[in-house]
Amino acid sequence: KNEVEQSPQNLTAQEGEFITINCSYSVGISALHWLQQHPGGGIVSLFMLSSGKKKHGRLIATINIQEKHSSLHITASHPRDSAVYICAPNTGNQFYFGTGTSLTVIP
Amino acid sequence: EPEVTQTPSHQVTQMGQEVILRCVPISNHLYFYWYRQILGQKVEFLVSFYNNEISEKSEIFDDQFSVERPDGSNFTLKIRSTKLEDSAMYFCASMKDRVSYEQYFGPGTRLTVT
């Protein structure tokens, strides 16, 4: 049983393209993380959302609690954005993790 | 900027041996977590820890696993008798509070069981 579904699993984009990664979840949550995992394995937290929308630079994250859906958008994508992006809803005590979306941005 | 640190970065051990993975969370954080990621698979939650006790654990976190915060700074994960399938990257994370829910991840310890 997958509590978290991400799409697409893999994404290749040309530099400059607008990118959207989607996440649907089935658990009741307190908040939702978007994480970035680089090829070396390190994990960085990009956003924590409990409602609405957040923006950091070229990254925008939205969440619809009623529909149990979140999206991560990258504007003007760049090769350094190439990484795995992971959606991780938090139920209060526990984080669930999506399988991740592997993004490759080609110059 | 404060960060979560983990030692060692890579641990190789023989099947059946005990291992202790160490984490130093950010100093004013109150919630602590261990996760693992088997090569090529998704990150999996192991355990959360607050106020010197386990607050939640997953099915993976069986009697072979234990966690401790022995001295108020370190947060350790012990695996009593390692199995081949314990080979994975283990990440520690800490969180200050449940207002921001911002988690900070350590760089991970790669455990190889031979």
Side-chain angles (χ1 to χ4, degrees), chain A residues 9-47:
Chain A
Q9 287 189 327
N10 295 286
L11 181 56
T12 301
Q14 288 291 133
E15 184 173 355
E17 281 187 20
F18 180 84
I19 286 159
T20 296
I21 299 169
N22 293 301
C23 172
S24 295
Y25 53 91
S26 59
V27 292
I29 68 167
S30 304
L32 181 143
H33 258 299
W34 279 102
L35 308 171
Q36 181 189 54
Q37 186 169 32
H38 287 280
I43 296 176
V44 174
S45 174
L46 298 174
F47 291 103

Side-chain angles (χ1 to χ4, degrees), chain A residues 18-101:
Chain A
F18 180 84
I19 286 159
T20 296
I21 299 169
N22 293 301
C23 172
S24 295
Y25 53 91
S26 59
V27 292
I29 68 167
S30 304
L32 181 143
H33 258 299
W34 279 102
L35 308 171
Q36 181 189 54
Q37 186 169 32
H38 287 280
I43 296 176
V44 174
S45 174
L46 298 174
F47 291 103
M48 176 57 76
L49 291 165
S50 53
S51 65
K53 178 178 172 178
K54 282 190 177 178
K55 184 176 188 293
H56 289 157
R58 295 180 294 106
L59 302 178
I60 303 165
T62 63
I63 189 167
N64 185 318
I65 297 288
Q66 287 74 30
E67 293 186 4
K68 296 190 173 182
H69 182 269
S70 178
S71 293
L72 176 69
H73 306 283
I74 305 175
T75 61
S77 58
H78 190 276
R80 65 174 174 265
D81 296 327
S82 298
V84 175
Y85 292 84
I86 301 168
C87 168
N90 179 313
T91 61
N93 272 330
Q94 182 175 159
F95 277 84
Y96 292 87
F97 292 85
T99 52
T101 294

Side-chain angles (χ1 to χ4, degrees), chain A residues 2-4 23 25-35 43-50 63 86-99, chain B residues 29 31-36 42-49 55-60 91-105:
Chain A
N2 278 333
E3 294 87 359
V4 187
C23 172
Y25 53 91
S26 59
V27 292
I29 68 167
S30 304
L32 181 143
H33 258 299
W34 279 102
L35 308 171
I43 296 176
V44 174
S45 174
L46 298 174
F47 291 103
M48 176 57 76
L49 291 165
S50 53
I63 189 167
I86 301 168
C87 168
N90 179 313
T91 61
N93 272 330
Q94 182 175 159
F95 277 84
Y96 292 87
F97 292 85
T99 52
Chain B
H29 284 193
Y31 298 84
F32 312 106
Y33 304 83
W34 281 103
Y35 303 97
R36 79 169 186 192
K42 67 177 183 179
V43 178
E44 298 172 292
F45 167 78
L46 291 178
V47 66
S48 59
F49 192 86
S55 40
E56 187 85 25
K57 59 183 180 179
S58 70
E59 292 173 354
I60 303 165
F91 292 101
C92 170
S94 70
M95 185 168 81
K96 184 177 178 183
D97 53 42
R98 286 193 181 177
V99 175
S100 68
Y101 278 101
E102 284 200 44
Q103 279 208 353
Y104 293 80
F105 286 80

